[in-house]
Amino acid sequence: MSKRRCFFTLYRFELLKILKNKVAIVTFLIFFVFSFIQGEFEITGNIKPEELGDYQTFDGRVIDDEFVDELKAVTDEDGEFKGEEEKAYLDLRNWINSVFEYKADYTELDAAKIYEERDKGIEESFQEEKLSEGEIAFWREKEKDVAKPFEFFSDWVPSGVLEGTTNFSIYMIILVATGLAMIFSMETQRKTDLMIRATINGNAKLYFAKVLAGFSYVMTCLLLIVVGFLTYLGLRWGFSGMNAAVQVYWPLAAENMSLWKLEGIIIVMLVVFALLLSAFALFVSNLTRNGVATMAIVIGGCLGMFALSTSIPMEHRFVSQIVQLLSPSVISSRLVYEFRLINMGKYFTVYEFVPMLYIFLSVLLIVMGYFIYRKYEIKNS
């Protein structure tokens, strides 16, 4: 048998071992079903299905003085509705409130003041995030490409798509922990590891077959969950509003981007997050040779990084940014509000830098894991 065929035989065997892990498969099936449930309740958890069309009445209208005047006619000075027009104008009212941080005086409101307040909010964000002059110049240049005035779209469907996809980072933490924790520890716990590694293909080929099998399982799970979720949501609710500018969802975003592009960025971030998390789980499993310890370290590490990312003040920029880049919280539709850049001779946004960083760290963990794997073999031979 050729060396190539030997490797893929080992790969199929390792993949089969994962697929025979009942905990891993049951966990995946639960999350796969949940993806369809989520596709339903991301919308119906907030509004009745028959009401969606009412909220989308003004989709595609320009946010100008005429539109703002219509809103003022049905609201009081605080933006509270006077009559039954709430559904049609609710999302526009909420969008304006987010621009003004819920301090808008609707009696003196016009389109110019809305766009001026938005510009002011962006500049304040620059100061809050302690940006350098170079970073501020970068974003001001990006802002020039943003087309104004904005076209309004109801955000019920975009919110369901974006926030639903973001939630899959939690799924991946559990799927990786349950699916890959035993991949190196099984032979050790069953005392068959020395016999296996005494074979001609028991070294490098077996190690990389395990790694490839682990990645294949995780990526296939992620693909099925995301495709299932988007397929159901699209067939059930459609994708109205996803072609809109990102500013109709996050008004202080300072770059020219559609909501579909933001969704694509989130999916890419999910893929590289799953890649890094898988590499980390494989590394820990290889190091500890204990399935329970691996699950605890993977889940506990992710939760710990998430907690740290929400507790370190932005004043400590270097530490807070490093933690943010390595935390599951980086996978968020709010990443367009992360104005802090990474300077590597040129500026990179978070969503540009994270895929490169995660791929590099994944490769590093795989290489380090290989040397640990070889060392373990020599130590026990």
Side-chain angles (χ1 to χ4, degrees):
M1 182 180 293
S2 68
K3 292 182 178 180
R4 182 176 179 182
R5 290 182 62 188
C6 285
F7 175 81
F8 284 104
T9 298
L10 291 170
Y11 164 73
R12 288 193 295 270
F13 179 73
E14 293 297 331
L15 186 59
L16 185 62
K17 281 164 53 178
I18 297 174
L19 296 177
K20 286 186 175 181
N21 181 340
K22 293 180 181 178
V23 174
I25 298 304
V26 169
T27 302
F28 163 70
L29 291 175
I30 290 172
F31 285 149
F32 184 65
V33 172
F34 277 7
S35 70
F36 291 92
I37 297 173
Q38 192 168 325
E40 175 68 24
F41 287 102
E42 282 290 339
I43 309 296
T44 58
N46 299 291
I47 61 173
K48 297 178 181 178
E50 61 271 17
E51 295 177 338
L52 182 60
D54 296 331
Y55 289 102
Q56 296 172 334
T57 301
F58 299 122
D59 278 8
R61 283 196 61 177
V62 173
I63 302 176
D64 56 12
D65 284 332
E66 181 182 354
F67 199 8
V68 173
D69 287 342
E70 290 178 21
L71 174 64
K72 289 166 63 178
V74 297
T75 56
D76 61 21
E77 61 182 11
D78 297 318
E80 297 300 323
F81 290 98
K82 301 174 183 177
E84 300 297 323
E85 298 86 354
E86 177 180 349
K87 293 174 186 175
Y89 290 97
L90 179 64
D91 289 340
L92 176 63
R93 192 277 306 272
N94 291 344
W95 184 82
I96 292 172
N97 283 346
S98 68
V99 172
F100 283 87
E101 297 183 339
Y102 295 87
K103 299 174 184 176
D105 181 357
Y106 279 74
T107 59
E108 299 181 359
L109 195 65
D110 60 34
K113 288 183 179 178
I114 295 172
Y115 291 107
E116 287 171 8
E117 186 66 23
R118 174 182 171 273
D119 293 341
K120 179 183 174 183
I122 292 173
E123 292 295 325
E124 288 176 352
S125 296
F126 293 164
Q127 302 307 315
E128 290 171 1
E129 296 188 23
K130 310 295 183 184
L131 301 193
S132 67
E133 290 301 320
E135 289 173 312
I136 292 173
F138 174 91
W139 286 114
R140 285 175 178 167
E141 195 64 30
K142 287 279 190 181
E143 173 65 19
K144 292 178 182 178
D145 295 329
V146 176
K148 294 185 278 280
F150 303 132
E151 287 188 1
F152 169 82
F153 282 88
S154 170
D155 65 0
W156 288 108
V157 171
S159 176
V161 173
L162 296 171
E163 307 312 323
T165 307
T166 296
N167 290 339
F168 295 143
S169 60
I170 301 172
Y171 289 22
M172 298 317 300
I173 294 170
I174 308 299
L175 279 168
V176 168
T178 56
L180 306 188
M182 297 294 295
I183 201 163
F184 283 101
S185 61
M186 187 179 296
E187 289 89 353
T188 302
Q189 292 178 3
R190 293 178 178 178
K191 308 296 183 182
T192 59
D193 52 333
L194 296 179
M195 179 180 65
I196 290 172
R197 284 180 217 133
T199 64
I200 191 171
N201 293 311
N203 299 318
K205 289 188 183 65
L206 180 58
Y207 173 78
F208 288 108
K210 287 177 179 289
V211 170
L212 183 59
F215 286 159
S216 299
Y217 168 75
V218 171
M219 293 303 169
T220 301
C221 288
L222 177 59
L223 175 66
L224 292 174
I225 288 171
V226 171
V227 170
F229 168 72
L230 291 177
T231 300
Y232 179 86
L233 194 147
L235 292 174
R236 179 74 168 92
W237 306 108
F239 291 115
S240 176
M242 288 300 294
N243 289 319
V246 71
Q247 285 77 17
V248 302
Y249 192 67
W250 296 115
L252 303 189
E255 58 184 311
N256 184 22
M257 179 189 295
S258 72
L259 290 174
W260 269 127
K261 182 177 178 180
L262 178 57
E263 170 69 1
I265 289 170
I266 293 172
I267 291 174
V268 170
M269 300 276 273
L270 269 174
V271 169
V272 294
F273 174 71
L275 179 70
L276 177 59
L277 196 60
S278 299
F280 178 66
L282 291 167
F283 178 82
V284 174
S285 177
N286 186 17
L287 187 65
T288 64
R289 305 302 170 110
N290 186 301
V292 175
T294 300
M295 283 191 281
I297 291 171
V298 170
I299 296 173
C302 288
L303 294 178
M305 291 299 291
F306 180 82
L308 278 175
S309 70
T310 60
S311 60
I312 300 176
M314 285 191 178
E315 286 78 5
H316 305 289
R317 169 162 176 169
F318 179 76
V319 176
S320 67
Q321 192 169 15
I322 290 294
V323 172
Q324 179 72 22
L325 288 172
L326 296 175
S327 167
S329 62
V330 76
I331 303 172
S332 168
S333 65
R334 287 182 63 88
L335 60 84
V336 294
Y337 279 4
E338 178 56 80
F339 296 116
R340 295 177 297 180
L341 302 173
I342 296 89
N343 190 348
M344 303 287 290
K346 63 171 286 188
Y347 285 123
F348 291 92
T349 62
V350 167
Y351 63 81
E352 291 171 334
F353 183 73
V354 162
M356 295 186 292
L357 175 65
Y358 282 17
I359 291 171
F360 170 76
L361 291 176
S362 299
V363 172
L364 181 63
L365 286 169
I366 293 167
V367 173
M368 289 171 59
Y370 173 67
F371 287 106
I372 290 172
Y373 186 78
R374 287 179 60 86
K375 182 179 178 181
Y376 181 88
E377 176 195 12
I378 294 170
K379 183 174 68 175
N380 290 276
S381 60

